[in-house]
Amino acid sequence: MNLYPAIDLKDGACVRLLRGDMDKATVFNNDPGAQAGEFVAAGCHWVHIVDLNGAFAGEPVNGGAVDSILSAVGDKAKTQLGGGIRTMKTVDYWLNKGITRVILGTVALRNPDFVKQACAKWPGRIAVGIDARDGYVAVEGWAETSEVTALELAQKFEDCGVTAIIFTDIDRDGAMGGPNIESTVALASAISTPVIVSGGVSSLDDLIDVAKHTDAGIDGAISGRALYDGRIDLAEAIKALS
Protein backbone atom coordinates (compact mmCIF):
# COMPACT_ATOMS: atom_id res chain seq x y z
CA MET A 1 0.00 0.00 0.00
CA ASN A 2 1.21 3.49 -0.84
CA LEU A 3 1.75 6.15 1.80
CA TYR A 4 1.31 9.70 0.51
CA PRO A 5 3.00 12.30 2.75
CA ALA A 6 1.10 15.56 2.38
CA ILE A 7 2.29 19.08 1.76
CA ASP A 8 -0.61 21.52 2.08
CA LEU A 9 0.35 24.98 0.87
CA LYS A 10 -1.01 28.22 2.32
CA ASP A 11 0.72 31.51 1.54
CA GLY A 12 3.82 29.64 0.40
CA ALA A 13 4.26 27.60 3.59
CA CYS A 14 3.54 23.99 4.57
CA VAL A 15 0.54 23.99 6.87
CA ARG A 16 -2.15 21.72 8.25
CA LEU A 17 -5.72 22.82 8.74
CA LEU A 18 -8.24 21.58 11.27
CA ARG A 19 -11.28 20.23 9.42
CA GLY A 20 -10.53 22.43 6.43
CA ASP A 21 -10.76 25.74 8.27
CA MET A 22 -8.27 28.20 6.72
CA ASP A 23 -8.37 30.24 9.94
CA LYS A 24 -7.12 27.22 11.88
CA ALA A 25 -3.84 26.66 10.05
CA THR A 26 -0.68 25.50 11.78
CA VAL A 27 2.55 26.30 9.93
CA PHE A 28 5.00 23.38 10.05
CA ASN A 29 7.62 24.46 7.52
CA ASN A 30 8.21 27.70 5.62
CA ASP A 31 10.28 25.87 2.98
CA PRO A 32 8.11 23.43 0.98
CA GLY A 33 11.05 22.30 -1.14
CA ALA A 34 13.05 21.36 1.94
CA GLN A 35 10.04 19.52 3.36
CA ALA A 36 9.64 17.54 0.16
CA GLY A 37 13.34 16.72 0.28
CA GLU A 38 12.91 15.31 3.80
CA PHE A 39 10.04 13.12 2.64
CA VAL A 40 12.05 11.81 -0.31
CA ALA A 41 15.08 11.15 1.89
CA ALA A 42 12.85 9.02 4.13
CA GLY A 43 12.00 6.84 1.14
CA CYS A 44 8.54 7.96 0.04
CA HIS A 45 7.40 7.03 -3.46
CA TRP A 46 4.80 9.81 -3.72
CA VAL A 47 4.33 13.36 -2.45
CA HIS A 48 0.76 14.66 -2.15
CA ILE A 49 0.47 18.44 -2.68
CA VAL A 50 -2.54 20.70 -2.18
CA ASP A 51 -2.67 24.39 -3.08
CA LEU A 52 -5.10 25.50 -0.37
CA ASN A 53 -5.23 29.11 -1.53
CA GLY A 54 -5.84 27.86 -5.04
CA ALA A 55 -8.79 25.75 -3.91
CA PHE A 56 -10.53 28.91 -2.73
CA ALA A 57 -9.36 31.14 -5.59
CA GLY A 58 -10.26 28.64 -8.31
CA GLU A 59 -6.82 28.96 -9.87
CA PRO A 60 -3.23 28.16 -8.90
CA VAL A 61 -1.80 30.48 -6.23
CA ASN A 62 1.22 28.70 -4.74
CA GLY A 63 3.00 28.02 -8.02
CA GLY A 64 6.42 29.01 -6.74
CA ALA A 65 6.13 26.62 -3.81
CA VAL A 66 5.07 23.80 -6.13
CA ASP A 67 8.06 24.52 -8.36
CA SER A 68 10.37 24.23 -5.35
CA ILE A 69 8.83 20.88 -4.46
CA LEU A 70 9.29 19.59 -8.00
CA SER A 71 12.92 20.67 -7.96
CA ALA A 72 13.52 18.92 -4.63
CA VAL A 73 11.75 15.72 -5.66
CA GLY A 74 13.25 15.40 -9.14
CA ASP A 75 12.90 11.85 -10.39
CA LYS A 76 13.16 10.32 -6.92
CA ALA A 77 9.39 10.24 -6.27
CA LYS A 78 6.08 10.91 -7.99
CA THR A 79 3.83 13.87 -7.25
CA GLN A 80 0.11 14.52 -7.24
CA LEU A 81 -1.30 18.03 -7.02
CA GLY A 82 -4.76 19.41 -6.29
CA GLY A 83 -6.30 22.79 -5.53
CA GLY A 84 -7.59 25.31 -8.06
CA ILE A 85 -7.19 23.07 -11.11
CA ARG A 86 -10.35 23.79 -13.07
CA THR A 87 -9.34 24.39 -16.69
CA MET A 88 -7.56 22.30 -19.30
CA LYS A 89 -4.94 25.02 -19.54
CA THR A 90 -4.07 24.50 -15.88
CA VAL A 91 -4.10 20.70 -16.25
CA ASP A 92 -1.75 20.98 -19.22
CA TYR A 93 0.49 23.44 -17.39
CA TRP A 94 1.12 21.25 -14.36
CA LEU A 95 1.45 17.96 -16.19
CA ASN A 96 3.89 19.50 -18.65
CA LYS A 97 5.77 20.95 -15.66
CA GLY A 98 6.40 17.48 -14.30
CA ILE A 99 3.56 16.80 -11.87
CA THR A 100 2.81 13.08 -12.19
CA ARG A 101 -0.94 13.47 -11.87
CA VAL A 102 -3.37 16.24 -11.06
CA ILE A 103 -6.35 16.00 -8.74
CA LEU A 104 -9.65 17.48 -9.91
CA GLY A 105 -12.07 18.34 -7.12
CA THR A 106 -14.59 21.16 -7.46
CA VAL A 107 -14.66 20.88 -11.25
CA ALA A 108 -15.44 17.16 -10.94
CA LEU A 109 -18.73 18.05 -9.28
CA ARG A 110 -19.47 21.08 -11.44
CA ASN A 111 -18.50 19.55 -14.79
CA PRO A 112 -18.00 15.76 -14.83
CA ASP A 113 -17.51 15.80 -18.60
CA PHE A 114 -14.38 17.92 -18.12
CA VAL A 115 -12.85 15.11 -16.06
CA LYS A 116 -13.57 12.66 -18.85
CA GLN A 117 -11.99 15.00 -21.41
CA ALA A 118 -8.90 15.39 -19.24
CA CYS A 119 -8.62 11.61 -18.85
CA ALA A 120 -8.80 11.17 -22.60
CA LYS A 121 -6.09 13.78 -23.16
CA TRP A 122 -3.84 12.63 -20.30
CA PRO A 123 -4.33 8.87 -19.78
CA GLY A 124 -3.31 7.67 -16.34
CA ARG A 125 -2.58 11.16 -15.02
CA ILE A 126 -5.94 12.36 -13.69
CA ALA A 127 -7.24 11.69 -10.18
CA VAL A 128 -10.47 12.92 -8.63
CA GLY A 129 -10.64 14.37 -5.13
CA ILE A 130 -13.92 13.75 -3.33
CA ASP A 131 -14.16 15.58 -0.02
CA ALA A 132 -17.23 14.74 2.03
CA ARG A 133 -18.97 16.18 5.05
CA ASP A 134 -21.55 13.77 6.52
CA GLY A 135 -21.36 11.80 3.28
CA TYR A 136 -22.06 14.76 0.96
CA VAL A 137 -19.50 16.29 -1.39
CA ALA A 138 -18.02 19.62 -0.31
CA VAL A 139 -16.35 21.95 -2.82
CA GLU A 140 -14.78 25.41 -3.16
CA GLY A 141 -12.13 24.63 -0.56
CA TRP A 142 -14.80 22.83 1.53
CA ALA A 143 -16.70 26.10 1.94
CA GLU A 144 -19.82 24.71 0.22
CA THR A 145 -21.56 21.36 0.75
CA SER A 146 -23.55 19.93 -2.15
CA GLU A 147 -26.53 17.58 -2.24
CA VAL A 148 -24.50 14.91 -4.07
CA THR A 149 -23.15 11.94 -2.14
CA ALA A 150 -19.54 10.83 -2.45
CA LEU A 151 -20.64 7.53 -4.03
CA GLU A 152 -22.89 9.25 -6.58
CA LEU A 153 -20.03 11.44 -7.72
CA ALA A 154 -17.48 8.62 -7.81
CA GLN A 155 -19.77 6.48 -9.95
CA LYS A 156 -19.81 9.17 -12.64
CA PHE A 157 -16.15 8.41 -13.39
CA GLU A 158 -16.26 4.65 -13.68
CA ASP A 159 -14.48 3.40 -16.81
CA CYS A 160 -13.36 6.85 -18.00
CA GLY A 161 -9.73 6.48 -16.98
CA VAL A 162 -9.57 8.20 -13.58
CA THR A 163 -6.48 6.72 -11.96
CA ALA A 164 -7.60 7.19 -8.33
CA ILE A 165 -10.31 8.64 -6.11
CA ILE A 166 -8.91 10.55 -3.15
CA PHE A 167 -11.61 10.40 -0.50
CA THR A 168 -11.40 12.82 2.41
CA ASP A 169 -13.71 12.78 5.41
CA ILE A 170 -13.59 16.48 6.31
CA ASP A 171 -14.64 15.93 9.92
CA ARG A 172 -11.60 13.70 10.42
CA ASP A 173 -9.10 15.93 8.61
CA GLY A 174 -6.39 17.25 10.88
CA ALA A 175 -8.29 16.07 13.96
CA MET A 176 -6.01 13.11 14.76
CA GLY A 177 -9.01 10.89 15.49
CA GLY A 178 -8.26 8.14 13.00
CA PRO A 179 -9.49 7.79 9.41
CA ASN A 180 -13.04 6.90 8.48
CA ILE A 181 -12.14 3.42 7.31
CA GLU A 182 -15.72 2.15 7.24
CA SER A 183 -16.97 4.82 4.82
CA THR A 184 -13.84 4.62 2.67
CA VAL A 185 -14.03 0.85 2.34
CA ALA A 186 -17.74 1.09 1.50
CA LEU A 187 -16.92 3.56 -1.27
CA ALA A 188 -13.99 1.52 -2.60
CA SER A 189 -16.06 -1.66 -2.63
CA ALA A 190 -18.79 0.00 -4.70
CA ILE A 191 -16.54 1.24 -7.52
CA SER A 192 -13.68 -0.14 -9.63
CA THR A 193 -11.41 2.92 -9.33
CA PRO A 194 -8.73 2.63 -6.61
CA VAL A 195 -9.39 4.79 -3.55
CA ILE A 196 -6.88 6.69 -1.43
CA VAL A 197 -7.81 7.36 2.22
CA SER A 198 -7.41 10.92 3.47
CA GLY A 199 -8.24 12.58 6.76
CA GLY A 200 -7.50 11.56 10.32
CA VAL A 201 -4.50 9.24 9.90
CA SER A 202 -2.73 9.71 13.22
CA SER A 203 -0.57 6.63 13.89
CA LEU A 204 1.21 3.68 12.33
CA ASP A 205 -1.62 1.52 13.65
CA ASP A 206 -4.07 3.58 11.58
CA LEU A 207 -2.02 2.91 8.48
CA ILE A 208 -1.81 -0.80 9.23
CA ASP A 209 -5.59 -0.89 9.71
CA VAL A 210 -6.08 0.80 6.33
CA ALA A 211 -3.67 -1.65 4.68
CA LYS A 212 -5.89 -4.55 5.74
CA HIS A 213 -8.42 -3.38 3.14
CA THR A 214 -6.33 -3.27 -0.01
CA ASP A 215 -8.41 -6.12 -1.43
CA ALA A 216 -11.44 -3.83 -1.23
CA GLY A 217 -9.74 -1.36 -3.57
CA ILE A 218 -7.79 0.83 -1.15
CA ASP A 219 -4.63 2.04 -2.92
CA GLY A 220 -3.07 4.00 -0.09
CA ALA A 221 -3.39 6.65 2.59
CA ILE A 222 -2.46 10.31 2.90
CA SER A 223 -0.90 11.58 6.11
CA GLY A 224 0.09 15.11 7.03
CA ARG A 225 -0.08 16.38 10.60
CA ALA A 226 0.96 13.03 12.12
CA LEU A 227 4.18 13.13 10.10
CA TYR A 228 4.93 16.72 11.03
CA ASP A 229 4.40 16.31 14.76
CA GLY A 230 6.24 12.99 14.97
CA ARG A 231 3.34 10.66 15.65
CA ILE A 232 4.34 8.70 12.55
CA ASP A 233 7.94 8.10 11.49
CA LEU A 234 7.79 8.16 7.70
CA ALA A 235 10.69 5.78 7.07
CA GLU A 236 9.34 3.30 9.62
CA ALA A 237 5.84 3.50 8.14
CA ILE A 238 7.04 2.96 4.57
CA LYS A 239 9.03 -0.08 5.71
CA ALA A 240 6.05 -1.50 7.61
CA LEU A 241 3.64 -1.01 4.68
CA SER A 242 6.00 -2.53 2.14
Side-chain angles (χ1 to χ4, degrees):
M1 186 184 84
N2 288 308
L3 175 56
Y4 297 79
I7 297 179
D8 288 359
L9 300 169
K10 180 177 184 285
D11 304 331
C14 304
V15 307
R16 293 303 291 170
L17 306 183
L18 178 61
R19 299 186 178 95
D21 188 339
M22 287 285 273
D23 293 328
K24 296 179 180 178
T26 303
V27 177
F28 284 100
N29 196 326
N30 285 304
D31 188 338
Q35 184 63 64
E38 290 180 22
F39 287 155
V40 170
C44 74
H45 300 291
W46 282 90
V47 176
H48 173 78
I49 312 162
V50 179
D51 181 348
L52 294 171
N53 300 105
F56 283 90
E59 60 185 13
V61 174
N62 287 287
V66 176
D67 286 343
S68 72
I69 293 169
L70 286 172
S71 296
V73 170
D75 60 0
K76 296 182 286 293
K78 298 176 182 179
T79 53
Q80 59 183 25
L81 170 67
I85 303 174
R86 302 181 191 175
T87 68
M88 194 66 74
K89 180 180 179 180
T90 306
V91 171
D92 293 345
Y93 175 79
W94 284 123
L95 293 179
N96 283 320
K97 267 264 185 177
I99 290 291
T100 307
R101 66 187 178 201
V102 296
I103 304 164
L104 304 180
T106 295
V107 73
L109 177 70
R110 303 285 193 227
N111 186 4
D113 285 342
F114 174 80
V115 176
K116 298 173 184 179
Q117 293 164 10
C119 287
K121 184 172 183 178
W122 294 98
R125 300 185 70 182
I126 305 297
V128 168
I130 298 180
D131 306 330
R133 181 181 285 114
D134 296 325
Y136 291 89
V137 179
V139 293
E140 306 291 351
W142 299 352
E144 177 185 335
T145 302
S146 73
E147 296 181 355
V148 178
T149 68
L151 178 58
E152 288 170 342
L153 183 58
Q155 288 175 330
K156 294 179 183 292
F157 307 115
E158 288 284 81
D159 303 320
C160 77
V162 168
T163 187
I165 298 288
I166 298 162
F167 176 66
T168 302
D169 184 326
I170 295 169
D171 290 330
R172 303 291 183 102
D173 191 68
M176 298 290 96
N180 190 335
I181 294 178
E182 182 179 357
S183 293
T184 308
V185 169
L187 175 64
S189 298
I191 60 176
S192 61
T193 308
V195 175
I196 298 171
V197 180
S198 176
V201 172
S202 59
S203 68
L204 180 56
D205 286 343
D206 284 342
L207 291 172
I208 292 172
D209 285 344
V210 171
K212 294 175 182 176
H213 301 283
T214 53
D215 289 347
I218 302 295
D219 167 80
I222 293 168
S223 182
R225 182 179 291 270
L227 295 174
Y228 291 107
D229 67 15
R231 293 173 188 241
I232 297 175
D233 179 276
L234 181 55
E236 179 187 357
I238 290 169
K239 183 178 180 180
L241 295 176
S242 64

